[in-house]
Amino acid sequence: MDDDSTFETFFANPPEDIDLDALDRTRIPRHISCIMDGNGRWATARGLNRGEGHRAGIVSLREIITACVRLDVEVLSAYAFSTENWKRPEAEVNLLMHLFAQTFIQELPLLKRENVRVVFLGDISALPLETREVFERGLSETRDHTGMVLALAVNYGARAEIARAAKLIAARVAAGELAVEDIDEDVVANSLYTAGLPDPELVVRTSGEMRLSNYLLWQVAYAEFYITPTYWPDFNRWELLRAILAFQGRDRRFGGLSQKEDA
Ligand code: FPP
């Protein structure tokens, strides 16, 4: 088996267009978020069924998890299943749920070896029993891990998340624990599924779509977007480095002046 245990071995032999010396390892985004899109089209283009596309997408996610650990990313989040995805044909939903459970069991040793802590964004209580049990096991077995956080958005929708936060805040006000005047951005942020996590600095969307699709609407306020035509199953460590290099080339102003103008 190839040794992929260090940054140097994992990123050995880059393709010609990638200059590893140009990567500033002190400016890696703290939180990278992936909208994994294009599994179905990847499969169709190869004459395979959509399920094969999802299986290939899981292999990509595994590679991106390891790549982010080697890059010392603090949080990797990934949009696996939206509240709108229930509208897909029942057979595809069932297959996805089964694949999630199966993969998660298979990959748990990797997550443990790499000291990754798993959290879920979304309402996992509504998932089929098999998937829910496996996810809950993953949560409890990685709870004390101190390395990268892997935040999997499953049965997630940003509007539902914000409505849920409003309910949680209203309940605290009704219980007399919180005064209306004290509701500020931190209170809202801490009532979201992402409470305690830094906001995404880089959002990657594959397969060329230019949409946010009800994903982390609050949290991406200042994120940089990187959209690539590559289908998710072809998104690998080198594609990730291209995204990070593009991010490092951006002038992030947060509503102020550019670093250069400021100086
Ligand atoms: C989008 O492709 C992808 C998904 C709906 C599911 C992606 C999930 C994974 C890759 C794995 C997640 C793993 C765990 C353990 C939670 P699409 O079907 O929308 O592609 P299309 O737009 O080409 O049809």
Side-chain angles (χ1 to χ4, degrees):
M1 204 170 83
D2 288 345
D3 172 23
D4 68 357
S5 61
T6 65
F7 173 87
E8 286 72 20
T9 54
F10 189 82
F11 289 106
N13 308 316
E16 268 176 21
D17 69 301
I18 292 183
D19 176 10
L20 269 188
D21 294 334
L23 183 75
D24 182 349
R25 287 181 63 192
T26 67
R27 286 203 308 124
I28 301 295
R30 291 179 68 193
H31 179 170
I32 298 179
S33 197
C34 295
I35 303 181
M36 307 181 286
D37 201 5
N39 293 348
R41 279 164 285 166
W42 180 91
T44 306
R46 284 165 178 72
L48 302 170
N49 63 45
R50 295 177 56 82
E52 292 307 316
H54 295 313
R55 281 180 208 281
I58 285 168
V59 176
S60 282
L61 180 57
R62 186 183 206 276
E63 176 162 337
I64 297 307
I65 292 171
T66 312
C68 286
V69 172
R70 299 290 172 269
L71 286 159
D72 292 326
V73 168
E74 282 177 48
V75 182
L76 168 67
S77 54
Y79 205 3
F81 193 87
S82 74
T83 45
E84 289 72 35
N85 284 154
W86 296 108
K87 290 184 226 151
R88 293 189 176 202
E90 199 184 333
E92 182 167 341
V93 170
N94 291 342
L95 176 77
L96 271 171
M97 291 298 154
H98 178 64
L99 272 183
F100 290 168
Q102 202 185 39
T103 317
F104 204 76
I105 289 278
Q106 260 166 28
E107 303 303 340
L108 206 48
L110 165 86
L111 301 176
K112 289 184 173 179
R113 200 165 58 241
E114 299 291 355
N115 193 23
V116 169
R117 179 162 69 93
V118 178
V119 299
F120 289 95
L121 314 178
D123 179 13
I124 62 166
S125 73
L127 303 181
L129 187 66
E130 178 202 23
T131 314
R132 196 171 75 219
E133 281 183 348
V134 167
F135 282 179
E136 278 163 2
R137 190 176 134 197
L139 274 176
S140 70
E141 292 189 15
T142 67
R143 179 160 290 144
D144 298 326
H145 288 180
T146 53
M148 187 177 82
V149 173
L150 173 65
L152 293 171
V154 184
N155 192 22
Y156 175 85
R159 288 182 173 181
E161 176 186 40
I162 292 169
R164 174 180 170 272
K167 266 191 215 154
L168 292 173
I169 294 167
R172 287 176 60 199
V173 171
E177 292 164 21
L178 180 71
V180 170
E181 310 76 72
D182 292 335
I183 300 173
D184 59 12
E185 292 185 16
D186 284 342
V187 170
V188 177
N190 287 322
S191 308
L192 300 172
Y193 289 117
T194 47
L197 303 179
D199 286 338
E201 291 188 289
L202 172 62
V203 175
V204 172
R205 183 161 189 157
T206 54
S207 92
E209 306 294 349
M210 310 264 182
R211 292 186 288 276
L212 208 39
S213 302
N214 199 18
Y215 186 57
L216 300 181
L217 297 180
W218 171 280
Q219 298 88 336
V220 298
Y222 286 103
E224 295 292 327
F225 285 82
Y226 180 85
I227 293 168
T228 168
T230 303
Y231 293 144
W232 178 255
D234 289 328
F235 192 84
N236 57 20
R237 67 193 77 182
W238 309 115
E239 291 280 334
L240 179 71
L241 281 187
R242 288 185 189 103
I244 296 175
L245 286 164
F247 168 87
Q248 293 187 340
R250 305 265 179 96
D251 182 18
R252 303 188 75 207
R253 292 195 293 276
F254 302 97
L257 297 181
S258 84
Q259 310 283 355
K260 292 166 219 140
E261 286 167 289
D262 228 3

